[in-house]
Amino acid sequence: MNPSAHTNISIGQSVSETVRVVVDTLTARIHSGDYPTDSRLPSERALAVELGVSRNTLREALEVLEQQKMVRRRQGSGSFVIYQSESPEAPVPGSVGERTSPLDHLIVRSIIEPEMVRLAVMNMTPKELDMLARIVARIETIRTDLNEFTRCEEAFYRSIAKATRNPLLESCYELTIEVCRQSFRTALMRKHLTPDRIQDYQTRFNSLFNAIATRDVEAAVEITQLHLVEEQKLFLNSG
């Protein structure tokens, strides 16, 4: 099928949950610099296989990104990133990211994430659960790739935040992700992720997914709270 032969989708038009998750995943990679400006995205076939979606779904997501001026598709050449960041990579002195410590970040997460998970358990659709399962499956394949682990972790929690059906809560959580990226000290904390710790996180993500999939609110919230306690212990011990 010709990549240019598609039906136009208005940015404001409703798209499927799967398409939205793909859009969010690719947007996160563009914002993080994994797909820098002027770079070509992986082929449609490769992206569809990696994300576990059909090529039609991927093309629909790329069309949304094109209308959002994130990418430009060129017939016969592929899709290229045209997004230009309006903010520098390093946090601006005095900004929230610059002033937020890893402990500050964890405290806010401990306030937001349990409620976010509780709402997601009640509201997540079968399609969203399927996409979350695909993300968990990708996480379980990671051994030492810290960047890929971080991308998958963000995609995992973004999917949960979106499933709350609470735009304000989703936006608040998006801010915690951006602050985490900007905080130099938080970035340093990421370097403590060893293969053994990644494996431990994989077990936690799998347990949380199972609790969400079985609609076990209490178990999902408890797993989330215990995970955050362990994160705080790791931070305090690494100091």
Side-chain angles (χ1 to χ4, degrees), residues 90-95 98-99:
V92 177
S95 68
E98 197 271 340
R99 291 181 286 116

Side-chain angles (χ1 to χ4, degrees), residues 5 16 59 93 100 113 164 174 181 217:
S16 71
R59 286 168 180 157
T100 300
E113 286 184 21
T164 66
E174 187 65 31
R181 287 177 180 165
V217 175

Side-chain angles (χ1 to χ4, degrees), residues 204 220-232:
R204 296 183 201 177
V221 171
E222 182 179 8
I223 290 167
T224 300
Q225 291 172 332
L226 289 174
H227 172 67
L228 290 166
V229 168
E230 291 301 316
E231 290 280 89
Q232 290 190 25

